[in-house]
Amino acid sequence: MSHGGSSGSLLAEEDMEELRGAAAEFYRQSGVVRELEEALDQLFRRRPRDLHGFLADYFDKLSAPPLISRLKGREVYDARGQLCIEAEVFCVVRNTEKSVSSAAVSCCLDPKTTSADSEDEERTEHVTTAAQWINGPLSNMLKDRSPCDQSEVDQVLSDFFMTRCLEEKEMMIHSPSMEEESSPSSPPAQDKDKKIRDKGKKNNTVEKPFPPAEPPEPVLHGSTAIGSVSLAVAKAGAELQRIPLYDHIAALKSHQNQERFHIPVSLVTLICCGRTSPGKLNLLEEVILVPKPGQPVIQTVTMTLQLQKEMMRIMTATRAGAVQAVESVRGAPAVSSERPEQLLDLIGEACSNLQLQLGTDAHLALNCAAHKLLDYSKGKYEVAAGVLKSPDELVDLYQTLLHRHPAVVALIDPFRREDKEQWEKLSSAVGNACSLISDVTNVSQLPVGGKGCIVKLVHETTISDLIRISSQPGSVMLGLTQSEPCSDASLSDLAVGLGLDYIKLGGLHGAERMTKYNRLISIEEELAQRGILVNKDKHSPPFPGAVLHS
């Protein structure tokens, strides 16, 4: 019995010795003992109050870099109650899978190609396809990639999207129904143009041929998966590095840490008209306040609210209860008006009452959204109910308006993109006193005569796309869509990180907008506290700096 027991003990001791030897070899190869000794040495030297917190931070820096483990796509609702896709990024962090970030971008459907009855169905198909892409192929393709390598991730996303586009194009080419539908589409447009020319001949007036509408850029089902994943990965990269998103974006753009930042000027929607507003005026979809450069964001917000309140007071006092004001989808009051001059005179009176000098303390930009006003059967713009203007007549209208209201320093989409001659004509006429800007949904070529563009993070636009666009010559500003996610303030970080001079967030009503304005205010305070905030003393292009300098 005793001999067998001692034999068992001997075997156990041999096993333990072998285990100790294996453990020693494991720790030697991994360098854990050396790191433990170094950690304990620094702990003794510094003697911090939180001993375990110090050790946690020390070893956290030595842990393996987090890698993407999977993506998750889910259906959510935006600020207008419309379906959109949200992408969630999971990473393995210190041997544990964690949800690191999520993001959603807008889906902007063209009203020309999507009827009101079919829009919900179309949107649902977009979101369903996006969810399938995110949960399936995109999750597999991005697995084990670093969320901090934005360019590599975006290249994978763009390549995937391009492949889907080519597949869709191939299917359309070989689709019999598409061939039948596409062939007879052009003759009616020609007949329509012919009727307009014949009508002109009968009236003994020479009318220029009306340029037909360019075909809208197709929106591929599922495209929002690309933009949503790209933004979610950028947010994950910032979160894992424990830095603000704007710092991360700036480093991605310049490949180094940025020492100074400026806050983009907030172009705030002051008042709206457009087809959906009360009154006859259609032309001015937005009147936008352009504050002084270097003015704090919170001061801009306060000034806008005061102006809106004063305008409502004036209209109530002078129109004896005939005032109609409804809330626009752009987050500002939409009021009843007959002519553009009425709105601009009203703003001028409100500024005067508040002792604000329009043209010095603030300027105005007009979003004409003219492409929404065209009556193709007549080849004219319906600037007000029953009031039609040809493209050339619209040039004259703008010139008269700008002459009377010199505080207006920018026109956004004064014509359709196809009216290239009128873009050039108006640009030559107004010179450097007023800039013509194009508001684009998809990144595309500017109209001739345009001096800037407003881009949006929608569909397949990636963070790398925005970095590339903002690095090219020409003025770019970031804009908000009409159907934004409610609580995501990433757009403000993007504008700051990209170094843009302007950001267009709409009015001051609605959580989706105020979240972003509040984030701008927070970033401004943070940069000031860090001592790296730069205040500009004059406006940058596309706004005419010589005019705006005060």
Side-chain angles (χ1 to χ4, degrees), residues 4-218:
S6 98
S7 175
S9 298
L10 184 62
L11 288 173
E13 288 180 9
E14 289 177 354
D15 289 342
M16 286 298 295
E17 188 64 30
E18 185 178 348
L19 190 61
R20 291 191 190 98
E25 180 63 18
F26 171 77
Y27 290 129
R28 185 187 66 78
Q29 290 183 356
S30 63
V32 170
V33 174
R34 184 174 64 254
E35 292 296 347
L36 278 171
E37 290 174 347
E38 179 64 25
L40 293 173
D41 180 62
Q42 290 195 29
L43 181 69
F44 177 74
R45 292 174 183 275
R46 300 187 185 185
R47 302 184 186 186
R49 179 178 297 180
D50 183 358
L51 302 180
H52 294 93
F54 174 85
L55 289 173
D57 288 340
Y58 181 89
F59 285 108
D60 181 56
K61 296 174 184 176
L62 299 176
S63 61
L67 299 176
I68 296 173
S69 57
R70 63 187 173 98
L71 305 175
K72 183 177 180 180
R74 64 165 64 88
E75 296 179 1
V76 296
Y77 291 92
D78 62 22
R80 297 180 65 188
Q82 297 174 328
L83 270 180
C84 64
I85 191 70
E86 181 181 68
E88 187 173 11
V89 177
F90 290 82
C91 293
V92 174
V93 183
R94 295 189 293 279
N95 302 312
T96 303
E97 185 182 69
K98 296 182 178 180
S99 172
V100 181
S101 67
S102 62
V105 302
S106 299
C107 177
C108 298
L109 301 179
D110 191 336
K112 296 177 185 176
T113 59
T114 309
S115 66
D117 294 336
S118 63
E119 183 176 351
D120 289 343
E121 182 179 341
E122 182 82 0
R123 191 176 296 275
T124 299
E125 194 164 343
H126 273 280
V127 173
T128 301
T129 305
Q132 292 171 350
W133 286 3
I134 294 172
N135 293 321
L138 292 181
S139 183
N140 295 330
M141 294 167 77
L142 294 184
K143 185 178 180 180
D144 295 331
R145 294 183 185 272
S146 170
C148 296
D149 193 345
Q150 189 72 38
S151 60
E152 181 183 344
V153 168
D154 285 344
Q155 188 62 55
V156 171
L157 295 173
S158 297
D159 290 347
F160 173 84
F161 181 75
M162 184 57 65
T163 301
R164 300 287 83 76
C165 286
L166 292 174
E167 290 175 354
E168 181 75 10
K169 187 176 180 180
E170 190 72 17
M171 289 176 61
M172 291 179 67
I173 291 174
H174 293 91
S175 171
S177 60
M178 289 301 297
E179 292 175 3
E180 291 173 6
E181 291 175 8
S182 60
S183 56
S185 60
S186 51
Q190 293 174 0
D191 292 343
K192 192 180 297 181
D193 290 343
K194 186 176 183 298
K195 289 178 182 178
I196 294 171
R197 289 195 297 270
D198 290 344
K199 184 179 179 182
K201 289 176 182 178
K202 290 177 184 178
N203 293 334
N204 295 321
T205 58
V206 179
E207 289 193 12
K208 300 173 185 176
F210 188 71
E214 295 176 359
E217 296 183 21

Side-chain angles (χ1 to χ4, degrees), residues 302-322:
T302 302
M303 180 174 66
T304 304
L305 291 172
Q306 289 175 341
L307 271 173
Q308 288 175 337
K309 184 178 179 180
E310 180 61 18
M311 285 189 292
M312 294 302 113
R313 188 198 67 77
I314 293 171
M315 287 192 293
T316 304
T318 58
R319 300 187 185 181

Side-chain angles (χ1 to χ4, degrees), residues 24 49 72 119 131 234 300 327 441 463 534:
R49 179 178 297 180
K72 183 177 180 180
E119 183 176 351
T300 298
E327 191 60 36
T441 299
I463 299 301
V534 176

Side-chain angles (χ1 to χ4, degrees), residues 304-545:
T304 304
L305 291 172
Q306 289 175 341
L307 271 173
Q308 288 175 337
K309 184 178 179 180
E310 180 61 18
M311 285 189 292
M312 294 302 113
R313 188 198 67 77
I314 293 171
M315 287 192 293
T316 304
T318 58
R319 300 187 185 181
V323 177
Q324 285 182 288
V326 296
E327 191 60 36
S328 165
V329 293
R330 295 182 178 273
V335 301
S336 174
S337 184
E338 305 286 320
R339 295 172 289 104
E341 293 83 357
Q342 287 180 312
L343 287 184
L344 299 180
D345 289 341
L346 172 64
I347 294 170
E349 183 180 351
C351 286
S352 179
N353 292 349
L354 294 175
Q355 296 184 338
L356 293 171
Q357 188 173 351
L358 196 57
T360 301
D361 296 323
H363 291 76
L364 299 175
L366 307 180
N367 183 5
C368 307
H371 55 282
K372 299 180 181 180
L373 308 179
L374 197 67
D375 185 331
Y376 277 92
S377 65
K378 298 180 175 64
K380 294 186 177 183
Y381 294 93
E382 190 173 14
V383 297
V387 180
L388 298 171
K389 298 285 185 182
S390 69
D392 284 333
E393 290 172 333
L394 200 53
V395 172
D396 296 335
L397 185 152
Y398 289 135
Q399 286 185 258
T400 302
L401 194 65
L402 293 173
H403 178 73
R404 181 174 174 181
H405 298 276
V408 176
V409 292
L411 297 179
I412 301 172
D413 287 339
F415 307 98
R416 295 181 309 152
R417 198 176 305 276
E418 296 86 347
D419 294 325
K420 297 177 181 179
E421 182 180 338
Q422 283 73 30
W423 277 90
E424 291 179 327
K425 186 176 180 180
L426 182 59
S427 180
S428 299
V430 300
N432 294 324
C434 182
S435 294
L436 309 185
I437 300 171
S438 178
D439 188 344
V440 297
T441 299
N442 294 314
V443 178
S444 56
Q445 187 176 0
L446 282 175
V448 179
K451 295 182 180 178
C453 67
I454 303 169
V455 298
K456 305 179 183 73
L457 183 56
V458 295
H459 303 310
E460 71 274 12
T461 306
T462 64
I463 299 301
S464 295
D465 289 333
L466 291 181
I467 290 173
R468 185 181 66 256
I469 295 163
S470 65
S471 302
Q472 293 174 351
S475 181
V476 175
M477 63 188 77
L478 210 54
L480 204 66
T481 66
Q482 294 184 22
S483 54
E484 287 283 322
C486 290
S487 58
D488 195 337
S490 301
L491 203 68
S492 299
D493 283 78
L494 291 177
V496 174
L498 292 170
L500 302 182
D501 293 310
Y502 302 95
I503 184 170
K504 182 176 177 290
L505 296 176
L508 298 175
H509 297 172
E512 74 278 15
R513 291 176 171 80
M514 290 316 299
T515 298
K516 296 169 179 62
Y517 279 114
N518 286 332
R519 177 57 182 156
L520 276 179
I521 293 170
S522 176
I523 294 174
E524 189 170 38
E525 292 174 349
E526 183 179 316
L527 293 175
Q529 290 172 359
R530 292 170 61 185
I532 57 174
L533 176 64
V534 176
N535 288 318
K536 294 194 171 184
D537 61 353
K538 66 177 182 178
H539 281 288
S540 304
F543 296 100

